[in-house]
Amino acid sequence: MPGSLVTIVGGGLAGCEAAWQLASRGVRVTLHEMRPVRPTAVHRTDRLAELVCSNSFRSDKLDNAVGLLKEEMRRLGSLVMRAADHTRVPAGAALAVDRERFAELVTQSIETHLLIAVRRDEITAIPPASPAGPVILATGPLTSDALAEEIAALVGHRQLSFYDAISPIVLADSIDQGRVFRASRWGRSAGAPGVGRDAAAAAGSAPAQAQPDDGGAPELTRGADEGDYLNCPLTEDEYRRFYEALVAAERAEVHDFERATFFEGCLPIEVLAHRGIDTLRFGPMKPVGLIDPRTGRRPYAVVQLRQDNLAGDHFSLVGFQTQITRGEQQRVLRLIPGLERAEFVRFGMVHRNTYINAPVVLDDTWRVKGREGLLIAGQVSGVEGYVESAASGLLAGLSAAALVSGGTPSAPPRTTAAGALAYYVSHADPRHYEPTNVTFGIIEPLAGLDRRLTRDRVARNRALSARALADLGNWVG
Ligand SMILES: Cc1cc2nc3c(=O)[nH]c(=O)nc-3n(C[C@H](O)[C@H](O)[C@H](O)COP(=O)(O)OP(=O)(O)OC[C@H]3O[C@@H](n4cnc5c(N)ncnc54)[C@H](O)[C@@H]3O)c2cc1C
């Protein structure tokens, strides 16, 4: 675009959010997206902001850190949140979206904005950057090889790749409705505090595999017979049969990667199973908060299925990332009651995740230290997850807007989820850096807690959120 001031590479969640923030402030942007000219191994469409795996943005409650981060983004005029709110589908306490409509809405908003020019090309070298003409790299976990090499050259040996794995999706019609029951955990369609990867991490719970978003309060009520999830109940015998088949299942060959290192919050089910027979029962197959209406009792274990599209004909297996072969997925997952005749729309798989050692490379405004005008945002900047990636794009967009107007970028206060994420990324221990979800654990604690707040985690989290939103308001002001 003639007179374009900011160049953004990557039209995913982070790149689109950054472009939107800049254009909303009157700054001209050129956004480079390589699809469809050059596809990735995982994206299926040419749309911007395509969600490659789950359709969930996790908890939408203010007693959950990712719920707080989303609310902060809304208050900062986030395009991703606006599109997500417009295209949401039922998902209990979580915000899940119709992935097609979500990507369509973001694409349309970006492509029709008068100040944004979208170029469909692969960028293979880091474009020249300056404070007057900033560049934001937001090429995600599947950054193309040529650019990944450039980034490696920029940051030295600290650019890393590791494995991650995604859950299968089945056709609703192929689920045996006579065997499954519909319920949200704790009988609540909304309102339960979420157990994100974040809550599990904050609670230091083991095993680390957490349900992405399905609520996790202490037992409050029986599971209702209405709810947002389909639940496949397993007896002890069924669970053992499934477990034994899973640990014996053949794993898919892992090709071009050297190291099998998984993000703890996204472990494949077979990796969890190898940790012990009960690990799945306390992780993605935990039955707590669910009562099978046919028996009136809590099942021994449960597999939850969440609606994956607005039409309601696709359901994903919650927390069932896997890297066993497709044939083995059909055989083993059909041992789950209700899925005996399941037809798979998508199989679980292994993928690459490329990210930098952020505390070495970035400051808390997502700028590369020592490289004037160059910013890195999104998953490649060392955050984990849709919401965190979009939030980092939002903040990088604000920083770039400050630079082009001759100002100095600043980070939101560390009492906010967005500020805490920026601080973590730029200040965590670089010797053990892992991409992170937002958690209350990284937000500055409340001073002088009274007794009630010390004991009551939900009340404490709500108090942290109230302070965060007030502080964000002051920062924006
Ligand atoms: C298989 C897989 C499953 C995942 N599952 C989940 C999940 O369930 N939940 C979750 O929260 N997160 C998940 N993630 C992480 C998820 O990718 C990120 O949370 C989020 O998509 C990151 O947003 P982003 O904008 O940083 O990257 P992306 O959304 O990947 O966007 C980056 C864009 O840059 C483009 N690009 C890459 N290289 C170039 C180049 N050289 N030139 C031009 N364009 C380029 C890509 O085509 C892409 O469109 C998953 C990641 C993968 C790979």
Side-chain angles (χ1 to χ4, degrees):
M1 170 177 289
S4 171
L5 290 174
V6 180
T7 303
I8 298 176
V9 188
L13 295 166
C16 290
E17 188 64 66
W20 184 257
Q21 292 296 324
L22 283 152
S24 303
R25 285 162 181 76
V27 180
R28 283 181 185 274
V29 176
T30 299
L31 175 67
H32 297 269
E33 168 52 54
M34 68 178 184
R35 290 175 294 118
V37 181
R38 186 173 174 127
T40 75
V42 176
H43 291 86
R44 288 177 170 183
T45 73
D46 62 358
R47 296 212 181 99
L48 305 175
E50 180 181 331
L51 303 179
V52 288
C53 177
S54 162
N55 63 330
S56 173
F57 284 76
R58 304 170 13 240
S59 174
D60 205 19
K61 301 289 156 195
L62 283 179
D63 48 26
N64 185 295
V66 78
L68 171 63
L69 183 59
K70 286 202 280 288
E71 183 54 30
E72 292 177 4
M73 292 170 69
R74 288 185 183 101
R75 295 183 185 203
L76 292 168
S78 162
L79 170 64
V80 167
M81 289 316 306
R82 200 182 72 183
D85 288 335
H86 268 78
T87 57
R88 71 187 299 158
V89 296
L95 170 58
V97 302
D98 179 312
R99 67 177 73 238
E100 307 273 320
R101 293 184 59 220
F102 169 80
E104 187 57 50
L105 190 50
V106 174
T107 305
Q108 201 185 38
S109 307
I110 293 290
E111 286 185 341
T112 57
H113 200 297
L114 292 176
L115 294 180
I116 303 174
V118 178
R119 302 264 181 271
R120 299 289 184 159
D121 52 5
E122 180 193 356
I123 298 297
T124 54
I126 299 173
S130 70
V135 170
I136 302 176
L137 301 179
T139 42
L142 306 170
T143 297
S144 70
D145 291 345
L147 191 63
E149 269 175 37
E150 283 266 308
I151 296 174
L154 177 80
V155 303
H157 65 281
R158 292 187 177 87
Q159 188 224 346
L160 301 171
S161 297
F162 67 89
Y163 296 107
D164 213 342
I166 62 178
S167 305
I169 296 180
V170 296
L171 267 186
D173 277 357
S174 68
I175 301 168
D176 183 348
Q177 301 291 337
R179 300 211 64 180
V180 303
F181 62 97
R182 192 174 263 282
S184 292
R185 221 179 273 283
W186 315 114
R188 293 171 165 192
S189 277
V195 176
R197 292 168 177 175
D198 49 354
S205 62
Q209 180 81 0
Q211 298 300 306
D213 47 40
D214 57 348
E219 193 149 8
L220 299 173
T221 69
R222 289 164 50 105
D225 49 11
E226 285 300 313
D228 293 334
Y229 292 81
L230 293 181
N231 300 279
C232 307
L234 288 90
T235 61
E236 184 170 353
D237 282 351
E238 288 165 340
Y239 178 78
R240 284 183 181 278
R241 204 154 68 94
F242 170 74
Y243 169 81
E244 272 150 29
L246 181 61
V247 288
E250 187 192 341
R251 295 197 196 188
E253 198 181 318
V254 175
H255 27 93
D256 54 340
F257 310 119
E258 288 149 26
R259 294 191 308 135
T261 310
F262 291 96
F263 177 54
E264 260 306 283
C266 198
L267 289 172
I269 46 168
E270 62 277 10
V271 172
L272 286 173
H274 278 287
R275 289 184 175 179
I277 186 159
D278 285 324
T279 310
L280 286 169
R281 237 167 42 86
F282 288 95
M285 294 179 73
K286 67 176 184 276
V288 289
L290 292 166
I291 302 292
D292 184 343
R294 285 182 211 84
T295 62
R297 295 222 303 270
R298 182 162 96 179
Y300 188 73
V302 163
V303 175
Q304 286 202 302
L305 296 127
R306 181 179 56 226
Q307 186 176 328
D308 197 74
N309 62 352
L310 205 56
D313 53 0
H314 290 177
F315 277 77
S316 53
L317 279 69
V318 178
F320 258 55
Q321 304 85 353
T322 180
Q323 59 165 338
I324 61 177
T325 62
R326 291 177 172 211
E328 291 285 75
Q329 286 185 48
Q330 301 213 40
R331 185 178 69 79
V332 175
L333 298 179
R334 283 178 178 161
L335 294 175
I336 297 168
L339 301 188
E340 293 87 347
R341 292 190 168 73
E343 280 178 42
F344 291 82
V345 179
R346 183 189 73 191
F347 287 97
M349 64 176 282
V350 172
H351 69 90
R352 196 180 76 174
N353 191 356
T354 309
Y355 67 97
I356 56 168
N357 192 351
V360 172
V361 180
L362 297 180
D363 70 14
D364 63 359
T365 62
W366 310 88
R367 286 180 294 176
V368 175
K369 294 172 191 165
R371 284 290 297 258
E372 297 254 298
L374 181 62
L375 300 94
I376 302 183
Q379 185 106 354
V380 71
S381 72
V383 295
E384 168 64 35
Y386 297 151
V387 183
E388 290 83 350
S389 294
S392 74
L394 190 158
L395 295 173
L398 294 182
S399 296
L403 287 174
V404 296
S405 66
T408 308
S410 71
R414 283 178 58 198
T415 49
T416 64
L421 190 64
Y423 187 84
Y424 176 86
V425 160
S426 51
H427 289 82
D429 183 349
R431 287 170 303 172
H432 314 287
Y433 190 71
E434 274 200 10
T436 186
N437 287 130
V438 66
T439 72
F440 280 117
I442 63 171
I443 297 180
E444 228 168 54
L446 292 164
L449 284 186
D450 65 29
R451 239 187 176 173
R452 188 180 65 89
L453 289 187
T454 312
R455 284 208 198 122
D456 185 342
R457 187 172 60 87
V458 172
R460 193 168 64 242
N461 290 349
R462 287 196 181 126
L464 280 164
S465 288
R467 182 189 65 177
L469 295 175
D471 288 357
L472 186 78
N474 292 334
W475 181 72
V476 171

